[in-house]
Amino acid sequence: MAEQVETASPVHLPAKDDADGADGLKPAKSKRKGKKARKPFLPLPTLEAAQHKLPWQLAFSQRLGRHAIASQDIAAGQCVLAEAAICAVPAQTCEASTCHTCFSPLPEGTDEYLITQGVILDKPSRHYKRYCSQKCYDADITVSMTAPVHALVLQISLQTKCDPVLLRFILELDAHTKHAPAADTPSPGKAPCSDAHLLSPSTTSKNGTESDQISHGTQQVPGDSLDVITCTRADVDALLSPWDRNQKDWREALTEGCKELQQAIIQAGKYKPGTLQQLHFLAACINANAHATGHQEDTNSETGLGLYPVLSMFNHSCVPNLAHSSVGTVQYVYAVHDIKKGEQLCVHYTSLYEPRRVRQQALLQEKFFTCACERCSTPVEQSVDRFLEGFSCGKGQCREVMLMDKQEGAEEDVFKCVGCGHTTPARTVEGNGPLDVEKQADDMYHHAVNVLRQQV
């Protein structure tokens, strides 16, 4: 389990089946003889304080790691969690058109009203943080610490081949941890959703319509009794940060990127940056636990990334019983069907419309576990995945599905129909095999997407 960032280096456990890591692995044992093994995980102080208000509770097992269990029957459509991001950054394509505090879309052609470093400029640089109003600027507690460095992030990312969004996220979270002390956590029994930990009630805007001021004050979830939770730095420290499980080239690039980021922060002189080890912790923590955020006015958009420690406690399933979406930087999690008391609550970490092999590969590379949910453990020919994994047979009148049939020692992969038994090579010299056709379709799709992006 990760130690607190400012006092010690991260200590990693084998990851589990949630945003913290992979499933089914035993906690790491201490290498020192005579020493007790570390606790399997640190508690999230904010979650502990709010537990009595939620319809589920956190549990731990060797097989599942940390996971959420329904503490009462949950009805379909019921909200089980509303959480504001402890830190969020816009995507690179949205950073010039999105408010960096409330994630509202900025009006086109109104650059003269955008605030950069607290000053209204005629042509603000797109590399600086932007806000839709003075109110949003005032709400950003780290703006004076990070704004000068943001102008250098894109250059650093090009030099070190790091994702600029991840570098910006590390910068913001590092500054946030320096601004908000670890001791600033709710005491046991005190609801963390009160006072400074809440978002403000919906208010009426100037045009008479009801507007949820999600990021500006305090708010209760519409139609539910849940408060919107905002975690603290101590909750981030409780997340697992699997730095060593990431690819070597990723770690090497991030190391160089973090060194350059440190120097830029020092030269800006606004605050003392975290150590390289601490920045590694934040990078891996973000990489494993961040979720997409949407525009304040569009729940279906993906405008950036946010860190939600409580949301990260839900395990993954390819047949989830929960779904979540964001409004601005607030994530709302709802039950997709009735859930009985004692059942595990699960979300999904990857697209459910991808073939099994694609989902498994993505989860292994990004979350470091192999999914063993009901959908993934059912033989593919009996699973709904057969319609994603296979191809229509089309042999004569047969309309069954052809699936990959890997034979040990075979020179080439073939697809075999589960109905008539017809086989065909996966790839052919002529380029008309099932996998050839699939690649051609993917290439056409990505080309079309690139064309559309250039037109926007």
Side-chain angles (χ1 to χ4, degrees), residues 107-387:
E108 295 183 6
T110 56
D111 276 359
E112 63 270 22
Y113 299 113
L114 303 183
I115 299 175
T116 300
Q117 290 185 281
V119 180
I120 298 177
L121 303 176
D122 290 335
K123 297 292 183 181
S125 168
R126 72 181 304 272
H127 302 305
Y128 285 84
K129 300 175 76 173
R130 293 177 166 216
Y131 307 91
C132 63
S133 65
Q134 186 69 42
K135 188 173 185 179
C136 277
Y137 170 78
D138 293 339
D140 189 343
I141 60 175
T142 63
V143 58
S144 63
M145 303 164 68
T146 63
V149 184
H150 274 287
L152 305 174
V153 167
L154 189 57
Q155 179 182 349
I156 293 173
S157 71
L158 293 174
Q159 291 175 347
T160 60
K161 298 182 180 179
C162 290
D163 181 359
V165 176
L166 180 55
L167 289 177
R168 294 185 191 282
F169 211 143
I170 295 170
L171 169 63
E172 286 295 314
L173 193 53
D174 182 53
H176 187 92
T177 60
K178 296 297 184 293
H179 187 280
D184 183 24
T185 58
S187 58
K190 178 184 177 183
C193 314
S194 61
D195 303 327
H197 295 284
L198 268 189
L199 301 176
S200 72
S202 56
T203 58
T204 303
S205 62
K206 293 180 180 179
N207 59 11
T209 60
E210 193 173 79
S211 171
D212 291 332
Q213 299 295 328
I214 299 273
S215 296
H216 304 312
T218 59
Q219 189 212 353
Q220 198 173 67
V221 182
D224 288 277
S225 59
L226 293 181
D227 291 324
V228 179
I229 294 174
T230 302
C231 285
T232 67
R233 219 290 307 287
D235 300 295
V236 176
D237 291 341
L239 296 176
L240 293 183
S241 176
W243 171 262
D244 293 330
R245 287 178 174 265
N246 285 281
Q247 296 292 326
K248 182 180 179 181
D249 55 351
W250 183 88
R251 287 184 279 120
E252 290 176 347
L254 252 297
T255 297
E256 293 304 312
C258 288
K259 288 179 179 178
E260 292 295 329
L261 194 63
Q262 276 183 319
Q263 290 302 312
I265 296 171
I266 292 172
Q267 290 175 9
K270 298 297 183 179
Y271 79 98
K272 182 180 179 181
T275 65
L276 184 60
Q277 201 169 44
Q278 291 167 357
L279 298 186
H280 282 174
F281 172 90
L282 296 181
C285 182
I286 293 166
N287 203 43
N289 295 282
H291 289 80
T293 61
H295 265 150
Q296 179 74 270
E297 300 171 7
D298 184 0
T299 58
N300 293 319
S301 65
E302 289 191 5
T303 310
L305 289 174
L307 190 60
Y308 304 86
V310 178
L311 176 57
S312 295
M313 296 300 99
F314 294 121
N315 272 351
H316 164 85
S317 172
C318 295
V319 192
N321 51 16
L322 300 178
H324 63 91
S325 63
S326 66
V327 179
T329 59
V330 179
Q331 291 278 355
Y332 296 94
V333 186
Y334 292 91
V336 298
H337 58 70
D338 292 342
I339 301 172
K340 296 294 185 181
K341 179 180 178 179
E343 290 185 19
Q344 184 183 178
L345 305 183
C346 294
V347 296
H348 64 89
Y349 300 163
T350 189
S351 173
L352 302 179
Y353 297 101
E354 293 288 358
R356 181 182 298 183
R357 67 181 186 277
V358 176
R359 299 198 311 273
Q360 294 281 16
Q361 182 180 13
L363 292 171
L364 187 60
Q365 290 181 349
E366 299 170 10
K367 305 299 182 182
F368 317 108
F369 70 90
T370 299
C371 183
C373 70
E374 179 183 0
R375 178 176 168 185
C376 290
S377 57
T378 301
V380 68
E381 60 270 13
Q382 301 173 16
S383 168
V384 67
D385 280 336
R386 69 185 185 277
F387 298 110

